[in-house]
Each structure stands twice: as structure tokens, then as C-alpha cells.
């Protein structure tokens, strides 16, 4: 007898993952207080402005060893006092856990920082592929005029340590200087 071939429970198309058990979370400007340098510019913007959203599929409980997660982050174009809209950024709570990122749509920069606060960066564009080693904090900025979408996959026991970045930030910022993205 033939075995039935089932329809998939989730479908990933373009920059959208839909289906069972897929969650969406959003980050507005008001959720990102303190991450941009220009506080005055920040206060003059609408706190309800949508900065990014993450669609994720977390098939096992957070902290499970041996599982893997998948997410698609979409960052809207924009800036706060010349500093591009960006993700909060984090080290993993289990600091040695690694991650893949890959560009789907738009243009951006992946900003990386090790525990010695050395910063480097990689361009993101459709098809760009990034291996983020353990012990490296990661943040993405949208440097383009369109939506930037990228996919990510990380271990289910990685966790997120946002506190370190909330307290000390990254050692460099990505600023638009006369239309050029500059890491300063
Ligand atoms: C990503 C990020 C996502 C949003 O899935 O969580 O891009 O960025 P923040 O978490 O810094 O707000 C990832 O790196 N997971 O580990
Ligand atoms: Zn991560």
C-alpha cells in the first residue's frame, strides 16, 4: 500500500512563514528606548512607530537541548538622528551558542561584537549568508530605503542575553553620514 504524502504544516515563501505554531512579535520605537544615541531625536518621534517584527517557529520549549529554532526578522526603513533602525542585539544566554543568518530582501548590515568589545560588520542583501560564532553579540541595521528581511536559525537552548547590550551597547554605531553607512 502507498504511504500518504501529507501537506506541510508550515510554508515559507518570500519573507513569510505561515502555518501552525508560528508566532509573530513586534518591536516599536517605545520598546527600543536607550538603544539609539540621539535621545532628543528619539523623543521627537512617534513611540508607536513600528521598527521590526519577528515571525518565529519555536517547535520545542525554550531551553531544550538539541532543538533548533527558525525566525524571519523584518526591519522597516528609518533612522533616529541618522542611526539606522536596528534590532536590540544580544549575546546568547548560553554564550557559546552559534547562529545562521541569511538575507532575503533589502539591504542592511550585520554588526558583530566579541566579548573584548571588538566590532566588525558584514553587508546583508538577498542571498548573503552569515555564520555567527558563539561568544559574539549580533545586531542588524536596515541601511536601505525598503524593508530588510533576513532569516535566522539558532539552537533552542541558546537563550537571549539582552541585559549586557542594554547596559553597555555595542562599541560602534552604524550611522548615515551623507548617505553612506559608516561604522563609528
Ligand atoms: C534573531 C533575533 C531577531 C531580533 O532571531 O532575535 O533578529 O533581534 P533581537 O532579538 O536582538 O531583538 C536571533 O538572533 N535569535 O537568536
Ligand atoms: Zn541570536
Amino acid at each position: 500500500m502507498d504511504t500518504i504524502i501529507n501537506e506541510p504544516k508550515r510554508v515559507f515563501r518570500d519573507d513569510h512563514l505561515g502555518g501552525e505554531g508560528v508566532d509573530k512579535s513586534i518591536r516599536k520605537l517605545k520598546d527600543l528606548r536607550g538603544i539609539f544615541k540621539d535621545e532628543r531625536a528619539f523623543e521627537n518621534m512617534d513611540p508607536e512607530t513600528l521598527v521590526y517584527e519577528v515571525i518565529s517557529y519555536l517547535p520545542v520549549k525554550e531551553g531544550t537541548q538539541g532543538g533548533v529554532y527558525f525566525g524571519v526578522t523584518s526591519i522597516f526603513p528609518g533612522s533616529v538622528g541618522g542611526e539606522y533602525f536596528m534590532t536590540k542585539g544580544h549575546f546568547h544566554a548560553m554564550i557559546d551558542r552559534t547562529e545562521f543568518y541569511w538575507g532575503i530582501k533589502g539591504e542592511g548590515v550585520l554588526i558583530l561584537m566579541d566579548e573584548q568589545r571588538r566590532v566588525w560588520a558584514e553587508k546583508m542583501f538577498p542571498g548573503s549568508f552569515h555564520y555567527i560564532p558563539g561568544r559574539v553579540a549580533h545586531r542588524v541595521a536596515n541601511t536601505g530605503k525598503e524593508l530588510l528581511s533576513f532569516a535566522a536559525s539558532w539552537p533552542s537552548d541558546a537563550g537571549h542575553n539582552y541585559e549586557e547590550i542594554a547596559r553597555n551597547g555595542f562599541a560602534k554605531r552604524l550611522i548615515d553620514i551623507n548617505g553612506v553607512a559608516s561604522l563609528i
Side-chain angles (χ1 to χ4, degrees), residues 76-80 83-85 142 144:
F76 291 88
S79 62
V80 178
E83 190 172 6
Y84 300 101
F85 278 5
N142 182 351

Side-chain angles (χ1 to χ4, degrees), residues 109-123:
V109 174
L110 169 60
I111 305 161
L112 301 155
M113 181 177 77
D114 68 14
E115 291 172 284
Q116 288 70 48
R117 299 186 58 75
R118 286 181 295 229
V119 172
W120 67 104
E122 294 176 0
K123 282 188 184 169

Side-chain angles (χ1 to χ4, degrees), residues 11 14-15 23 28-29 32 39 46 53 61 69 75 80 91 94-95 100 105 107 118 128 136 161 176 180 183:
V11 173
D14 192 14
D15 63 352
D23 303 315
K28 296 181 173 182
L29 260 189
L32 303 173
E39 286 174 13
D46 180 355
E53 55 184 44
K61 197 164 162 273
Y69 288 164
I75 310 176
V80 178
F91 285 96
M94 294 273 255
I95 196 163
F100 286 123
K105 190 190 261 184
E107 284 170 36
R118 286 181 295 229
S128 69
V136 172
N161 169 7
D176 176 339
V180 180
L183 198 59

Side-chain angles (χ1 to χ4, degrees), residues 90-92 97-99 101 132 136 138 152 154 158-160 162:
H90 56 269
F91 285 96
H92 289 150
R97 297 304 194 254
T98 54
E99 184 160 3
Y101 275 11
I132 302 169
V136 172
H138 36 289
W154 67 101
H160 295 94
Y162 291 106

Side-chain angles (χ1 to χ4, degrees), residues 150-171:
F150 64 94
S153 188
W154 67 101
S156 51
D157 64 355
H160 295 94
N161 169 7
Y162 291 106
E163 291 74 27
E164 171 58 27
I165 299 303
R167 210 174 301 123
N168 300 313
F170 276 63

Side-chain angles (χ1 to χ4, degrees), residues 6-184:
N6 295 301
E7 291 297 319
K9 292 194 177 74
R10 283 155 292 274
V11 173
F12 178 43
R13 190 175 285 141
D14 192 14
D15 63 352
H16 190 79
L17 178 70
E20 250 174 53
V22 174
D23 303 315
K24 181 164 137 179
S25 67
I26 59 171
R27 296 275 178 265
K28 296 181 173 182
L29 260 189
K30 66 181 181 189
D31 304 315
L32 303 173
R33 182 172 294 281
I35 78 164
F36 297 99
K37 185 174 167 58
D38 190 337
E39 286 174 13
R40 178 155 344 153
F42 182 89
E43 296 305 338
N44 285 328
M45 292 173 72
D46 180 355
E48 296 297 327
T49 306
L50 196 53
V51 180
Y52 62 97
E53 55 184 44
V54 185
I55 296 171
S56 51
Y57 177 49
L58 314 176
V60 293
K61 197 164 162 273
E62 174 105 43
T64 303
Q65 277 182 34
V68 69
Y69 288 164
F70 178 81
V72 181
T73 302
S74 294
I75 310 176
F76 291 88
S79 62
V80 178
E83 190 172 6
Y84 300 101
F85 278 5
M86 59 185 173
T87 58
K88 286 187 179 185
H90 56 269
F91 285 96
H92 289 150
M94 294 273 255
I95 196 163
D96 66 351
R97 297 304 194 254
T98 54
E99 184 160 3
F100 286 123
Y101 275 11
W102 62 101
I104 297 173
K105 190 190 261 184
E107 284 170 36
V109 174
L110 169 60
I111 305 161
L112 301 155
M113 181 177 77
D114 68 14
E115 291 172 284
Q116 288 70 48
R117 299 186 58 75
R118 286 181 295 229
V119 172
W120 67 104
E122 294 176 0
K123 282 188 184 169
M124 294 186 93
F125 50 85
S128 69
F129 197 81
H130 313 268
Y131 177 73
I132 302 169
R135 307 189 168 277
V136 172
H138 36 289
R139 158 180 280 171
V140 174
N142 182 351
T143 57
K145 291 183 169 57
E146 316 287 339
L147 191 77
L148 166 71
S149 293
F150 64 94
S153 188
W154 67 101
S156 51
D157 64 355
H160 295 94
N161 169 7
Y162 291 106
E163 291 74 27
E164 171 58 27
I165 299 303
R167 210 174 301 123
N168 300 313
F170 276 63
K172 292 191 178 176
R173 291 176 180 279
L174 196 70
I175 311 279
D176 176 339
I177 298 180
N178 302 324
V180 180
S182 312
L183 198 59
I184 56 172

